Amino acid sequence: MSPSGRWFTIFLITLAILGCSKGRHDADGTLRIYSRLWTPLREQSFIRGELERFYSESGIEAELILYTDGDMDRMLATGDLSDVDLVIPYGNRLSLWSEKVDFVDFHEYPDLFQDRTFLFELLPPEKQSVWRNFLPIGADVYLVIVSKNAESLKPAGIENAGLTWPDLADWIRIVSREQGRGMLAVTGVPDKNLVYFLAGPVLSYGGGFPDLASGAAVDALRMLQDMRRGFHPAVENFDSVIDPLVGGSAWFAFAHCAHVGFVLKEAPGRFNVYTAPSGPAGQGSVSGFSAIGIPARTGNRQDALSLVEYLTRPDVQIRISKGVGGFIPTVLEAGEFLGNDALDTVIRYGLDVLHAGRTRDIPHEYGEWGNVKHVYETVFYSLILSDNEISADSLRWAQTELEKLKLSP
């Protein structure tokens, strides 16, 4: 090869390398979405199908890349966002994302969203400026699901939309005595959802979150201890309530609305849905939401805006909410597309809890949230499932541990 030919070849190789290594500030076609939402396999499959619908309509390809909340936090801390066009973080992290990353301002594109009303007022309070950078994409609360096998033993006066914790406790005790063992499923495996189950009655009795030692918390935990024989004997092995419910070994759960919806889809006609139980202070539930934003440095801004517009359409919001099991749509007009099937009931009850309940998001001032879960798990196993006295004194250590876990201001 001649010297001029050799240099020409090197030039072409260099161009190819540069082209392959460009950052996302250069447009390259396929949108990359970094998301903490839709991580279960059943949800991933549906959302990827929805992204294919978007491609069929727009010709824009989108790739969903899933991360844990911890991964998203580390990504934010390191600034490793060179390959991303859209992010979907957890709601209690939006202020941090807005402080550390420049985002597209959705207020500059009012025509894209003028036909829809986002339910900002139902979501946990954030700085007003956050809603310039993010739009809510899905919310969740906890609801009660009951096997129809238990309906014949339901105490008189219990209604689907008017359930109370004392009524539910009585019902679970009656059914468990009849069956000879506990029939209430909770996720007893460490680092799962037990903390959110316990938070529901505490909030409905007037307590906070996290809160294990207030007068309201003590009353709520005593109520749970009184029904301790209603808990399924294998709760320490459950990492989800779905399998014991679908398998028939459990008949009751107070569970994440998407898990409730998934059970209804897996076992059609076998369960009824009840709203979050109420206590002296009303309905109580931990709530959560995720939101979508577009980093300003993306070279695919218009395509990314098209995808956000698509995902927040009222009809698409309902299709996604039902398709992934029962997440709550965050666009008011989505309610116009609700029907009368079981999943529609999940969504309606979820919206009712957001509107009228004492809901609390996961607070951001705790460092490692898993340590908070461990405190609640210890209280559950050492006190609620035992005959040990529950009092402000016996719970003071737990609240002290929770205070220690708060980050320094």
Side-chain angles (χ1 to χ4, degrees):
M1 181 183 293
S2 67
S4 60
R6 185 180 301 111
W7 282 111
F8 182 70
T9 300
I10 292 172
F11 174 72
L12 290 177
I13 293 172
T14 301
L15 283 179
I17 292 172
L18 290 173
C20 291
S21 62
K22 67 185 178 180
R24 296 302 286 184
H25 55 279
D26 300 311
D28 74 348
T30 301
L31 295 174
R32 290 168 66 86
I33 311 162
Y34 286 8
S35 175
R36 54 84 56 194
L37 186 62
W38 307 312
T39 53
L41 288 175
R42 62 184 182 275
E43 297 176 15
Q44 293 179 35
S45 176
F46 184 87
I47 293 301
R48 290 195 167 101
E50 197 62 48
L51 293 177
E52 290 177 7
R53 281 177 178 254
F54 173 67
Y55 172 74
S56 297
E57 174 184 307
S58 66
I60 301 169
E61 294 187 46
E63 179 184 7
L64 180 67
I65 305 166
L66 297 161
Y67 293 96
T68 65
D69 287 319
D71 290 335
M72 295 287 281
D73 286 346
R74 284 186 286 275
M75 193 182 307
L76 179 60
T78 60
D80 185 18
L81 297 167
S82 59
D83 292 333
V84 64
D85 296 297
L86 303 102
V87 295
I88 304 178
Y90 191 62
N92 70 350
R93 291 293 191 262
L94 298 189
S95 292
L96 293 174
W97 279 85
S98 292
E99 290 169 6
K100 295 189 176 184
V101 178
D102 289 330
F103 281 91
V104 169
D105 185 346
F106 288 118
H107 288 194
E108 295 179 0
Y109 303 92
D111 291 348
L112 285 178
F113 309 106
Q114 63 182 354
D115 62 341
R116 62 207 69 170
T117 308
F118 292 93
L119 303 180
F120 297 124
E121 73 278 5
L122 300 185
L123 303 175
E126 290 280 352
K127 296 178 182 176
Q128 198 64 29
S129 60
V130 164
W131 297 123
R132 304 184 72 92
N133 302 141
F134 290 95
L135 292 174
I137 202 73
D140 56 83
V141 295
Y142 274 57
L143 302 172
V144 171
I145 183 168
V146 180
S147 169
K148 290 185 177 179
N149 292 330
E151 292 291 334
S152 63
L153 296 172
K154 180 169 66 176
I158 292 180
E159 299 179 358
N160 295 55
L163 188 65
T164 69
W165 274 108
D167 285 343
L168 179 61
D170 285 344
W171 190 5
I172 291 170
R173 279 192 291 264
I174 292 168
V175 172
S176 296
R177 280 197 300 269
E178 178 79 11
Q179 295 298 308
R181 61 173 176 82
M183 300 300 288
L184 170 63
V186 297
T187 52
V189 168
D191 286 324
K192 291 295 182 177
N193 296 340
L194 185 58
V195 59
Y196 311 124
F197 168 85
L198 295 176
V202 171
L203 286 166
S204 71
Y205 273 65
F209 180 64
D211 174 14
L212 287 168
S214 69
V218 170
D219 290 343
L221 297 180
R222 284 174 176 166
M223 180 272 299
L224 292 175
Q225 187 185 54
D226 287 344
M227 56 173 279
R228 61 188 177 278
R229 292 181 178 82
F231 288 97
H232 195 290
V235 291
E236 69 273 13
N237 300 319
F238 293 161
D239 63 358
S240 166
V241 300
I242 292 173
D243 288 342
L245 288 171
V246 173
S249 71
W251 289 0
F252 297 87
F254 177 57
H256 188 288
C257 56
H259 295 174
V260 169
F262 188 75
V263 170
L264 295 175
K265 292 173 71 172
E266 288 293 294
R270 288 174 44 198
F271 290 88
N272 288 327
V273 180
Y274 291 74
T275 190
S278 61
Q283 291 175 313
S285 173
V286 172
S287 63
F289 72 101
S290 299
I292 192 165
I294 304 171
R297 64 174 291 168
T298 178
N300 296 310
R301 177 177 298 205
Q302 292 304 319
D303 287 353
L305 283 166
S306 295
L307 179 56
V308 174
E309 187 279 325
Y310 176 85
L311 291 175
T312 58
R313 290 177 190 172
D315 60 324
V316 175
Q317 277 271 294
I318 284 293
R319 188 164 64 235
I320 290 175
S321 294
K322 296 175 69 171
V324 299
F327 275 98
I328 304 168
T330 52
V331 174
L332 178 65
E333 291 77 10
E336 299 171 8
F337 294 88
L338 284 172
N340 296 303
D341 65 23
L343 281 174
D344 294 310
T345 300
V346 171
I347 293 170
R348 281 198 180 90
Y349 282 166
L351 284 167
D352 288 345
V353 174
L354 277 181
H355 274 285
R358 296 190 74 243
T359 59
R360 296 293 185 273
D361 192 18
I362 297 174
H364 63 79
E365 63 263 30
Y366 291 83
E368 178 50 58
W369 186 248
N371 291 330
V372 175
K373 291 183 175 183
H374 295 163
V375 176
Y376 272 77
E377 289 157 5
T378 302
V379 167
F380 179 73
Y381 286 110
S382 66
L383 291 176
I384 293 174
L385 291 189
S386 75
D387 292 322
N388 295 326
E389 180 187 11
I390 290 181
S391 67
D393 287 338
S394 67
L395 287 164
R396 188 169 291 116
W397 68 269
Q399 197 63 34
T400 299
E401 289 301 310
L402 292 176
E403 292 301 318
K404 290 179 182 177
L405 295 173
K406 285 186 178 180
L407 296 172
S408 300

